[in-house]
Amino acid sequence: MAVGAGFDLAAVAAALGGADAASRWRMEVGERSDGLLVVNDAYNANPDSMRAALEALVAIGRGDGGRPRRTVAVLGQMLELGDEHAAGHRAVGADAARLGVDVVVVVGEAASGIAEGARTGTGEVIVTAGREEATAWVRQNAGAEDVVLVKASRGAALEVVAEAILEETTA
């Protein structure tokens, strides 16, 4: 929002870099020793917050004068959408496709509409059965050159995915 209001991106990034999170699992950025960045936004989700998080993922992936990173979005179910459940999930997938997210990892059957929407783009779409499979896929396929967003409604408990991705490997 600050950039949209005319503030310099570097100044905004510097200010946000010094900010403390008010609550856990809301755009928490962690870095593994190999350089993999993980954005843990697993506290809550709706179509608007998913879109905003995907926009942030793509902005981080572009870098600021540095080397671009591959973008990986690990997305789970948005709860409490009622009659908009299917359309909301498809719209989030379409947003990921439109924004150019490189890989969308869909967590669980309840979020399968995200895959449907994401397939409208050129990025890779991975559908997993649940948290364990999503974690395994990311740990095996993402590394130092990547930035990973983990986002879903709180009930999906994807913070365990973000935390597991950040754990150091013993290879």
Side-chain angles (χ1 to χ4, degrees):
M1 189 179 341
V3 173
F7 290 91
D8 176 69
L9 177 61
V12 172
L16 290 174
D20 290 327
S23 62
R24 296 216 52 207
W25 310 322
R26 294 182 193 250
M27 297 301 283
E28 280 185 352
V29 178
E31 184 173 4
R32 214 167 51 192
S33 65
D34 68 356
L36 173 74
L37 289 180
V38 176
V39 180
N40 181 351
D41 196 15
Y43 185 79
N44 206 354
N46 61 54
D48 291 335
S49 70
M50 288 281 233
R51 184 178 315 106
L54 289 166
E55 289 171 351
L57 171 67
V58 169
I60 293 167
R62 279 193 210 114
D64 188 21
R67 172 179 78 238
R69 293 174 175 263
R70 181 175 71 148
T71 54
V72 179
V74 179
L75 305 176
Q77 180 182 18
M78 297 176 286
L79 299 171
E80 302 176 12
L81 295 182
D83 293 341
E84 298 299 314
H85 179 87
H89 285 83
R90 279 192 307 274
V92 166
D95 287 335
R98 177 183 51 80
L99 291 165
V101 173
D102 296 308
V103 182
V104 175
V105 178
V106 179
V107 184
E109 178 63 31
S112 63
I114 295 171
E116 184 181 332
R119 287 190 178 108
T120 64
T122 59
E124 184 176 3
V125 179
I126 307 297
V127 179
T128 66
R131 292 186 300 266
E132 295 80 16
E133 189 177 334
T135 300
W137 188 93
V138 174
R139 286 185 63 87
Q140 292 169 8
N141 293 282
E145 304 297 316
D146 301 329
V147 58
V148 177
L149 166 69
V150 180
K151 184 152 181 69
S153 283
R154 180 71 198 98
L158 292 195
E159 71 279 359
V160 299
V161 173
E163 291 164 1
I165 294 167
L166 283 169
E167 288 176 3
E168 299 297 327
T169 60
T170 55

